[in-house]
């Protein structure tokens, strides 16, 4: 047995893990134990881990292939493409485009066909108050729906759209145009199966434009309900950061939001490694990206009649 101590931080998800120095290599048994704790608590907080970028990368790699952050190459660590800098500190003398990362409820990279498996975020600098991150358990969001609602939505697909990333219009317009061009809307299952636990979870979020096959009105009503439900306080853990917290979340069954509840003149600096996920989405043709607007059609028919 290892010396790990696990302290649950929230009813729905989140656990603090102590009794480990993440700078040291993990053996297979310890790796398996951490993975098992991760699958159980979905968000792990390892406090007091003063890791160098190379150490953070080495630990993160134990849990999957690392992303090289091709979306935001200007904001990666100068010596390590695997580390993304999420900060309000200026970069190359310009406001950082990552200063408002994650400002609406989302699951990472769902605007690509291959949303992330997970992420490991290390706090380097934080404001005196605020700058919290909230995480929600999407297994519970699914399991607490009625059987009737579950079977209604089980085989639906949702359209995820990068242009719904909150605050995207405040970023460098050229980069945003490129981001939109290279990331046309994609459809992901609204209910997904976790590849390791086999449990179903909901995949909602504020970057979802609509549901394939539903009218705009139907989509808006259903998504409004599902989003409100999935953000219920009883499914949420709110993390108040300390410097040297390493937080590791399972992106396959959670969503999160980074709160702008702090004085933006105070520096916040987070270093992120992202674990590559499996392909679960599909590109949809631009014409199909629009929701089938049956409502407009019905109105036109009514006007003719
Ligand atoms: O800055 C944070 O707290 C989290 C930002 C975010 O959404 C992410 O790193 O995926
Ligand atoms: Fe995120």
């Amino acid at each position: 047995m290892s010396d790990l101590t696990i302290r649950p931080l929230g009813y729905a998800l989140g656990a603090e893990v102590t009794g480990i120095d993440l700078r040291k290599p993990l053996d297979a048994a310890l790796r398996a134990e951490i993975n098992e704790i991760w699958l159980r608590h979905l968000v792990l907080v390892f406090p007091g881990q003063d890791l160098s970028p190379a150490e953070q990368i080495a630990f993160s790699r134990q849990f999957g292939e690392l992303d090289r952050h091709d979306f935001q190459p200007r904001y990666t660590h100068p010596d390590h493409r695997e580390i993304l800098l999420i900060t309000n500190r200026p970069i190359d003398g310009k406001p950082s485009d990552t200063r408002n990362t994650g400002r609406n409820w989302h699951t990472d990279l769902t605007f690509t066909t291959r949303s992330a498996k997970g992420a490991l975020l290390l706090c380097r600098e934080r404001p005196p108050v605020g700058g919290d991150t909230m995480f929600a358990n999407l297994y519970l969001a699914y399991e607490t729906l009625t059987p009737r609602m579950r079977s209604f939505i089980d085989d639906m697909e949702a359209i995820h759209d990068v242009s719904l990333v909150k605050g995207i219009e405040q970023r460098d317009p050229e980069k945003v145009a490129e981001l939109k061009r290279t990331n046309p809307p994609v459809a992901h299952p609204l209910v997904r199966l976790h590849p390791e636990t086999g449990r179903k979870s909901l995949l909602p979020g504020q970057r979802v434009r609509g549901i394939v096959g539903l009218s705009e009105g139907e989509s808006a009503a259903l998504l409004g309900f599902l989003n409100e439900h999935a953000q219920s306080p009883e499914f949420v853990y709110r993390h108040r950061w300390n410097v040297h917290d390493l937080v590791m979340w399972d992106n396959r069954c959670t969503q999160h939001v980074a709160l702008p509840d702090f004085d933006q003149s105070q520096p916040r600096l987070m270093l992120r490694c992202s674990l590559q996920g499996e392909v679960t989405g599909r590109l949809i043709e631009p014409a199909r990206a629009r929701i089938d607007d049956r409502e407009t059609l019905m109105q036109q028919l009514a006007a003719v009649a």
Side-chain angles (χ1 to χ4, degrees):
M1 269 312 275
S2 69
D3 298 328
L4 294 185
T5 303
I6 319 301
R7 184 172 70 93
L9 296 170
Y11 168 71
L13 75 170
E16 181 191 75
V17 184
T18 51
I20 182 170
D21 179 351
L22 302 185
R23 292 173 303 184
K24 301 205 174 119
L26 303 179
D27 62 25
L30 191 52
R31 196 215 81 90
E33 189 179 349
I34 293 173
N35 197 59
E36 194 267 318
I37 299 164
W38 191 38
L39 295 178
R40 188 150 20 103
H41 294 282
L42 322 188
V43 174
L44 299 185
V45 178
F46 297 91
Q49 302 289 344
D50 184 6
L51 305 181
S52 68
E55 288 163 346
Q56 183 178 350
I57 290 170
F59 177 70
S60 304
R61 269 219 177 102
Q62 304 289 318
F63 300 93
E65 285 286 312
L66 299 189
D67 197 41
R68 292 176 62 79
H69 303 111
D70 290 332
F71 295 108
Q72 288 169 304
R74 252 186 73 204
Y75 300 103
T76 54
H77 187 285
D79 306 322
H80 302 277
R81 278 295 295 271
E82 298 87 348
I83 292 208
L84 182 69
L85 309 174
I86 296 177
T87 188
N88 56 3
R89 279 191 177 279
I91 295 198
D92 302 333
K94 292 199 203 131
S96 162
D97 266 2
T98 60
R99 69 190 182 285
N100 56 10
T101 296
R103 293 283 186 253
N104 50 8
W105 279 103
H106 68 283
T107 293
D108 292 328
L109 298 185
T110 59
F111 52 81
T112 72
T113 53
R114 198 175 175 189
S115 66
K117 170 181 177 183
L120 298 97
L121 193 62
L122 180 65
C123 178
R124 283 264 156 231
E125 287 182 288
R126 47 146 256 200
V129 285
D132 298 352
T133 308
M134 299 204 294
F135 297 90
N137 180 331
L138 295 176
Y139 289 133
L140 287 182
Y142 178 74
E143 289 162 2
T144 50
L145 296 170
T146 57
R148 184 101 189 221
M149 179 57 108
R150 291 201 299 259
S151 59
F152 177 55
I153 65 169
D154 257 343
D155 60 358
M156 286 186 179
E157 283 181 307
I159 302 163
H160 295 246
D161 189 340
V162 73
S163 47
L164 296 178
V165 168
K166 194 169 176 185
I168 199 166
E169 67 289 344
Q170 293 157 14
R171 298 187 188 174
D172 179 334
E174 257 175 53
K175 299 255 161 14
V176 172
E178 171 74 2
L179 199 62
K180 289 186 187 172
R181 198 181 54 73
T182 50
N183 292 283
V186 293
H188 284 277
L190 182 58
V191 175
R192 51 185 184 164
L193 210 53
H194 194 291
E196 288 186 78
T197 64
R199 265 171 94 184
K200 281 183 180 177
S201 68
L202 198 61
L203 178 53
Q206 293 173 319
R207 298 172 180 178
V208 176
R209 178 164 298 295
I211 306 285
V212 175
L214 296 191
S215 71
E216 212 166 316
E218 289 166 342
S219 276
L222 183 59
L223 286 170
F225 164 72
L226 292 175
N227 274 325
E228 191 181 332
H229 172 71
Q231 296 159 19
S232 300
E234 60 270 33
F235 304 149
V236 171
Y237 163 65
R238 177 172 179 151
H239 187 61
R240 295 200 161 81
W241 292 93
N242 282 313
V243 171
H244 300 153
D245 280 349
L246 180 86
V247 173
M248 169 175 177
W249 64 86
D250 188 340
N251 207 53
R252 300 164 295 181
C253 51
T254 62
Q255 62 174 351
H256 58 278
V257 58
L259 303 176
D261 61 340
F262 66 102
D263 174 357
Q264 296 291 333
S265 68
Q266 304 288 329
R268 184 176 189 271
L269 172 62
M270 318 290 278
L271 271 53
R272 183 172 106 191
C273 283
S274 314
L275 304 172
Q276 283 181 10
E278 295 169 13
V279 174
T280 57
R282 65 179 178 90
L283 278 175
I284 42 181
E285 301 109 50
R288 297 272 319 275
R290 284 183 292 115
I291 302 156
D292 297 346
D293 198 352
R294 206 168 297 135
E295 228 166 45
T296 312
L297 181 67
M298 294 310 275
Q299 278 162 12
Q300 281 167 356
L301 287 176
V304 173

